[in-house]
Amino acid sequence: MDGSSLGKWLCLIVYILTLLKTEGASIPMTIVQAAVARGAVCLDGSPPGYHFEKGSGSGINNWLVHMEGGGWCESVESCVSRRDTYKGSSLKMEKTMGFSGILGSKQAANPDFYNWNRIKIRYCDGSSFTGDVEAVDPKTKLYFRGERIWQAVIDDLLAKGMRNARNAILSGCSAGGLAAILHCDKFQSLLPASARVKCVSDAGYFIHGTDISGGSRIESFFGQVVKTHGSAKHLPASCTSKTRPELCFFPQYVAQAMRTPLFIINSAYDSWQIKNILAPTAVDSKKEWKNCKLDLKKCSATQLQTVQNYRTQFLKAVNIGLGSSSSRGLWINSCYAHCQSGSVSTWLADKSPVVGNVKIGKAVGDWFYDRSAFEKSIALTLATLLASVLIPNHESRHLVYIYCH
């Protein structure tokens, strides 16, 4: 390794250590042992858990409940492969976790929520906390109990003081961001009528999109998730009463009838959606999109236009779901990213991405406290996006880089 490369690696290591130091102390996991008696368990039957940093001062009666993401398992086979990992068992999870971004404890980096009671619910069910199947196959020993997990954790938090909340937010990233939408009205109904309650979904607005084959592989995938986990009975009735249950995994059909204010944080070029909704491997038999999905600079002109058209699909789906309601907010940028609220570098740092010259942290805070409405998306073409700089994104535990403006 030459001196130049070594220097770059050392700078990167120092940068990572600096972020870890500034993002807060390690917060232990609380295991909800009482949940086992009500069958509220992870895929492997272990009890659910969450990380909790208590509020202080003016934030002592304010609560921010954030749900972890991590995809879904749509079949017995995929759930078995997930069962014995941290995505399916609390026994395999890290026992401590640092908070940052929307959960951060430093006033300068998170001025509106730093001293709230801040909770991160761990994700171990594979259904965005919607599953509920009583029977357990003795061969696979899989428990599909996501909805019970959510209720057990929320009940535990209510008993610890959340029942007296004055302000509350239900949020999440990716599959957790979808869960924030699916459980939003239910969350609001459990809190005092006098409380200000709103929901924030980060990278959870998965659209009912058309893929490169002209079909919708994501529709069949979500349909299998709903069927495998027995989710239909716990999806919002305001949606399932009007359409097929599997379509109620798509926010554009759920958000229309939501009563609780909702804020969407998303990229119009969401990297997960480009890889899995627009160009899923299952419909890319010739692997023509393999390199393009990993690096947009390797896309052909035709592929770039297809990605650009997906942005149009996404914005139409947002408009269908959110409409023109004054209680809704949105912050949509053009980063090739997935989840942007959980990192100090993208939430409210000096070089955080902006939309309308406003960073995510300020947009969410202004919207929550009714200081100002925020409904903006950045209109960039991919040519501009690809010419933009790279900034780090640490939400997924691994150091990856995202194209961002």
Side-chain angles (χ1 to χ4, degrees):
M1 181 180 291
D2 59 31
S4 176
S5 296
L6 179 60
K8 291 179 180 178
W9 276 107
L10 288 174
C11 287
L12 185 58
I13 292 170
V14 170
Y15 180 69
I16 294 171
L17 291 174
T18 300
L19 281 174
L20 290 174
K21 182 178 180 181
T22 58
E23 290 185 359
S26 291
I27 300 161
M29 182 163 62
T30 298
I31 295 295
V32 189
Q33 197 64 50
V36 176
R38 56 200 287 189
V41 293
C42 300
L43 285 171
D44 71 332
S46 59
Y50 61 87
H51 300 261
F52 179 19
E53 188 163 30
K54 292 183 179 180
S56 62
S58 61
I60 200 164
N61 288 316
N62 299 335
W63 294 75
L64 197 161
V65 180
H66 185 87
M67 290 172 288
E68 185 177 37
W72 308 268
C73 55
E74 86 289 5
S75 65
V76 169
E77 292 75 20
S78 64
C79 290
V80 166
S81 67
R82 186 183 180 103
R83 180 190 59 201
D84 299 321
T85 73
Y86 71 91
K87 292 183 179 182
S89 172
S90 61
L91 302 177
K92 304 293 183 178
M93 294 175 182
E94 299 169 353
K95 297 303 182 282
T96 61
M97 175 180 287
F99 282 177
S100 64
I102 193 171
L103 292 172
S105 62
K106 297 187 179 299
Q107 185 173 6
N110 190 25
D112 285 309
F113 312 117
Y114 76 97
N115 65 347
W116 284 32
N117 294 284
R118 286 159 288 112
I119 297 94
K120 187 166 190 175
I121 304 177
R122 302 304 300 270
Y123 183 43
C124 63
D125 65 275
S127 71
S128 284
F129 300 94
T130 63
D132 190 2
V133 176
E134 182 64 34
V136 179
D137 188 325
K139 293 181 180 179
T140 63
K141 297 180 180 177
L142 283 172
Y143 294 80
F144 300 113
R145 305 285 178 76
E147 172 67 26
R148 297 192 200 185
I149 288 174
W150 187 84
Q151 192 63 60
V153 171
I154 295 300
D155 286 348
D156 203 51
L157 296 174
L158 289 169
K160 290 181 176 179
M162 193 168 71
R163 63 163 60 98
N164 300 314
R166 293 180 181 175
N167 294 291
I169 291 176
L170 183 67
S171 70
C173 152
S174 191
L178 172 59
I181 294 173
L182 298 178
H183 290 84
C184 184
D185 282 345
K186 188 182 302 180
F187 180 72
Q188 189 274 337
S189 72
L190 297 172
L191 298 175
S194 59
R196 178 194 280 117
V197 182
K198 301 185 180 184
C199 300
V200 176
S201 173
D202 179 12
Y205 204 94
F206 299 95
I207 70 167
H208 188 197
T210 302
D211 59 43
I212 56 174
S213 73
S216 182
R217 176 75 178 180
I218 190 65
E219 180 184 325
S220 61
F221 177 81
F222 276 170
Q224 283 300 114
V225 172
V226 171
K227 180 180 179 181
T228 298
H229 290 267
S231 300
K233 57 184 172 291
H234 292 299
L235 296 175
S238 58
C239 179
T240 56
S241 63
K242 299 176 182 177
T243 189
R244 291 177 286 127
E246 60 267 30
L247 294 184
C248 297
F249 235 61
F250 293 105
Q252 66 202 77
Y253 305 121
V254 175
Q256 297 174 11
M258 283 176 59
R259 303 182 306 275
T260 310
L262 173 66
F263 193 97
I264 299 297
I265 302 166
N266 230 104
S267 170
Y269 303 108
D270 184 285
S271 57
W272 192 95
Q273 294 198 40
I274 297 296
K275 295 171 185 175
N276 297 281
I277 297 182
L278 176 63
T281 302
V283 301
D284 184 26
S285 58
K286 296 181 179 179
K287 302 187 185 310
E288 294 174 341
W289 280 79
K290 182 178 179 181
N291 292 330
C292 172
K293 292 190 294 184
L294 294 174
D295 184 352
L296 294 184
K297 291 182 179 179
K298 295 181 180 179
C299 297
S300 67
T302 301
Q303 288 173 326
L304 287 177
Q305 185 57 54
T306 301
V307 174
Q308 186 71 20
N309 292 342
Y310 186 81
R311 174 185 182 276
T312 301
Q313 283 194 67
F314 179 83
L315 294 179
K316 285 182 178 179
V318 169
N319 186 57
I320 288 171
L322 271 63
S324 58
S325 171
S326 60
S327 70
R328 312 292 171 85
L330 60 88
W331 190 98
I332 299 175
N333 68 347
S334 292
C335 296
Y336 191 57
H338 186 66
C339 290
Q340 301 178 81
S341 68
S343 168
V344 64
S345 63
T346 48
W347 177 247
L348 199 62
D350 290 342
K351 294 184 178 180
S352 293
V354 297
V355 173
N357 207 34
V358 179
K359 297 170 184 175
I360 303 172
K362 179 169 173 48
V364 173
D366 286 351
W367 167 81
F368 182 81
Y369 283 112
D370 300 316
R371 293 192 292 254
S372 67
F374 198 89
E375 296 184 29
K376 295 183 180 179
S377 62
I378 192 164
L380 289 183
T381 63
L382 274 173
T384 305
L385 172 63
L386 294 175
S388 300
V389 298
L390 291 168
I391 68 169
N393 173 18
H394 304 272
E395 174 66 25
S396 63
R397 300 183 183 178
H398 303 290
L399 188 66
V400 297
Y401 285 86
I402 56 176
Y403 294 107
C404 202
H405 177 86

